[in-house]
Structure formats: C-alpha cells, structure tokens
Amino acid sequence: MKQSTKSQDQPASTQSRRRFMQAAGAAGLLSVAGCLGGGGGSGGEGTLSIPGLYDQSGPTSDVGRPTALGSRDAFKWINEEGIIDQEINHNGVDYAYDVAQANQQYDEFTSDGTPPIIIGWGTADTEALAPKVARDKIVYISASYSAKLLTEEAPYNFFGNLDYTSQARAHLKWIADNDPDGKVAFIFSNTSFGKAPVEGGKAYAEELGLEVGDDIDLPLTANSATTQLRKAKDDQIDYLIHQNTAAPMQVLLKDRQDVYPEVNVMGLTYTVDELRVQESPETFEGVRYASGFKTFAEVMEGSGQGKDAIEASFEREGRDMEDPGVANLNYVRGVIHAMVALKGIQEATNLDLDPSMGENIRSAMFEISDWDVFGLAEPFTYEEGDRRPTMTGRIYQVEDGEMKFDSKAELPRRDDWIGL
C-alpha cells in the first residue's frame, strides 16, 4: 500500500499559508474586537457561541455524562481565567443519542446565527450532520472518531483522538509483534459507531498476516454476552477487539469468566475507564485498551494548562478527585474537546481572523502542529489534507484495578487510511 510522502514538518508550505492568511487579514478582514457583538455566531457583544450536543440519557450516556461535564467545566474555566478576550457561551443539550433529535437541535443552534464551532457526540449523528456543517461552515469537534469524518466530504469535522480504526490497528500491531499466530475477531454494536473500525481494521489484520474470524454483534444495551462468547470459543478466537461503550464491555467481561476465560479482550476508546475498572478489578484484569490521550491519573501526575483547568474546576464545583465516576478519562476527553476549540480560537486570533466565523476557525486549525494539547494527549497536528490529529496510540493494560500505561504504537501516516 502507498505510504504517505508528506513530511510532518513542512516549513515552506506552512509559511506560505501563514503569509497568505496574514495578508488576507490585513487586506480587509474585520478585527476581532470590531466584529463580535451581533449575529454571525456571536452570542452577544464580546461573546462567542459554542453550543454542544451530549448524550446524557441515551444508550451511550454511561460515557457521555462525564464527557459532557468535562467540556462544560473547561469552558467555565476558560471564561473565568480570561484565557481569551471573548466570553464563550456554551449551551450544551442532551439529545439522547437520537439522530432526529440531533438534527432538530442543530437547526435550533443555527436559527439565530451561525456559531463558529459546535461540540458534537456520536458517530451516526455526526456523520448525518456533516453535510449541514460543511454548508454552514461550522467547525464541528465531535466525540466520534470515525475515519469517515476525515474525508473531503466532511471538510469541517475535527476530533481530538486517534481515530477508531487506528486504535484497532494499534492493538493489531501489538498482536502481530507479540503473538503472530493469534486469531482475531471484531466484536461491536451494530451501529455506525460500532462498525466504524471494522473494515479498515480487518484489512490491516490481513496485511499483518493475522488470521481473522467472523464478526460478532454485541448491542449497546446488551445484558448478556454468553451467545457471543460461545461463538468466539467455537471459532477459536484468541483476541476480541471490542468497539462499544463501558457498559456492554462490563457485560462481555463478566460472562467471559464463565464461558471463555482464555480469550483476550482488547478495548477501543469507550470500552474501558477508571470507574468500571475500580468497580470490577477482577473482571477487567488483563484487558488491554488503546487511545490517543491520557488517563485522569496521568494528567494529574503531569503539568500544563489541562491539569490546571481540571484542578480548578474540581475545586470550584466541589468535586472529589478520588471519585472515579467523574475523575476519569471520559472527563479528560470532554476537556480536550473544549481545549481544541480554544486552540482554534487562539490560532485565528493570532492570524488576525474573526473567530466568530467558522471558516476562519477551520483555516486556523491548520496552524496547529505538534501541539501537546496542554498536557492531555499525544501531540496533535492538523493539516488541510490530513485532519488526523495523531497517529500514536497509547496502549494500557488493566492490572490490580488500575489502568497502567504499557507502550506506544507509532502508526504510519498513510494516505490510503484516510476515511477507512
């Protein structure tokens, strides 16, 4: 397969783009101070409107609630600290993981003006809204990490993690390096979210020479995984790569103990978090997990504005740093969404571009290069032709009730993987 020939460091093109944007700003774009105040995505004088769609009552609300809390807290922190000159008006609503409701809420968000940025959630709704987002020129930062959102058909979509398929690729690379004779299968919910990494993941498994078994369906609302595990056992699967949320993951692991304890389970981004691990340490023991950002404990052990924002938010709201229901990686995920929005605004301002216009935020996003996400994640880089923020997977393994960092999987930035 074709390898990407792009260099991660492109000084000539970056400088040309920066000179062009600065010239455009000098030629007639309104200054930040002069353009805010009415319409055009503004929430009032000196404010920027950044609404959000969250699942707080639907089938993915187990991970949606702490994520929503992280974003809301981070936007409050940005306002209170005066990080930017504008006040951010963040109106986050619960759409219960319903595509029709997401469309309705989107229409409401844009009825009185076009916000420059929206924080989104699920794969089905984010993919459904992508044409509207592109038409209205709104930067859409979602919690869906579907590779389809990185194609030319979704030019205004961004996210803050290793894409779903590449998370699976990180696990597959580990298997190929450590157990090349192992047989793998994908287990997932029959949803756009669940199916997102399967096609590309299976193609990479075959490229690595791994044997691939039949797909296995495990619904988001599953209360038993006995049938699925029997299928895996009959097919002699060694590794199950699981794309789901934490609730069905817990069901799968609980039933594994009785039906097929020998099978290894490798979870993608929403399947494992500190709450579930601490609630059921024996059930989760040995499970592997892949993501592009850090756990809550890792963030707290480090430094940066991300840590500062979380500490200040917990103190302000009276939250308990020892409560894994909130102090978990999904909360960090939500903070990342807000920080990506913040960084886009900051880069637009640096270019003398009006941050209340989504097309300006989108242009500014491509100034983000090798950014450490304020200490929250692997470095992010966005490019016009490649909006994958990172190709580095952080691999964890659950040991004694803790998510312990194991290794990094450095994946190639291949052009033929964009959208797959």
Side-chain angles (χ1 to χ4, degrees), residues 114-159:
T114 304
I117 303 170
I118 292 177
I119 306 298
W121 182 247
T123 297
D125 45 278
T126 301
E127 290 180 352
L129 288 172
K132 286 186 176 181
V133 167
R135 177 199 67 197
D136 297 335
K137 298 181 179 180
I138 299 172
V139 168
Y140 200 90
I141 301 169
S142 74
S144 169
Y145 312 131
S146 168
K148 291 182 180 178
L149 298 171
L150 303 172
T151 64
E152 294 179 356
E153 289 73 31
Y156 274 77
N157 286 86
F158 292 82
F159 51 71

Side-chain angles (χ1 to χ4, degrees), residues 69 73 76 313-321 326 331:
L69 201 60
D73 281 358
K76 282 185 183 179
S313 296
F314 269 63
E315 182 177 354
R316 180 189 65 233
E317 303 296 335
R319 307 196 199 287
D320 182 0
M321 283 279 190
V326 180
Y331 183 94

Side-chain angles (χ1 to χ4, degrees), residues 231-245:
K231 180 177 180 180
K233 186 173 184 178
D234 291 343
D235 202 16
Q236 297 183 317
I237 301 299
D238 298 301
Y239 297 92
L240 284 173
I241 296 179
H242 189 204
Q243 169 76 336
N244 237 320
T245 65

Side-chain angles (χ1 to χ4, degrees), residues 174-241:
W174 185 93
I175 295 169
D177 290 343
N178 293 275
D179 188 9
D181 295 326
K183 186 176 182 180
V184 303
F186 281 79
I187 182 168
F188 52 92
S189 60
N190 189 25
T191 62
S192 297
F193 156 65
K195 294 183 288 186
V198 178
E199 180 183 356
K202 289 164 68 173
Y204 188 54
E206 292 171 359
E207 183 180 325
L208 292 171
L210 296 171
E211 186 178 1
V212 181
D214 293 337
D215 296 342
I216 301 174
D217 177 22
L218 182 66
L220 283 166
T221 55
N223 54 26
S224 172
T226 299
T227 300
Q228 290 84 352
L229 285 161
R230 285 174 179 163
K231 180 177 180 180
K233 186 173 184 178
D234 291 343
D235 202 16
Q236 297 183 317
I237 301 299
D238 298 301
Y239 297 92
L240 284 173
I241 296 179

Side-chain angles (χ1 to χ4, degrees), residues 57-87:
S57 61
T60 63
S61 59
D62 57 328
V63 292
R65 285 188 292 268
T67 303
L69 201 60
S71 291
R72 286 171 169 148
D73 281 358
F75 281 123
K76 282 185 183 179
W77 176 82
I78 292 167
N79 286 336
E80 291 186 354
E81 293 294 315
I83 302 297
I84 56 175
D85 292 337
Q86 300 78 38
E87 184 87 2

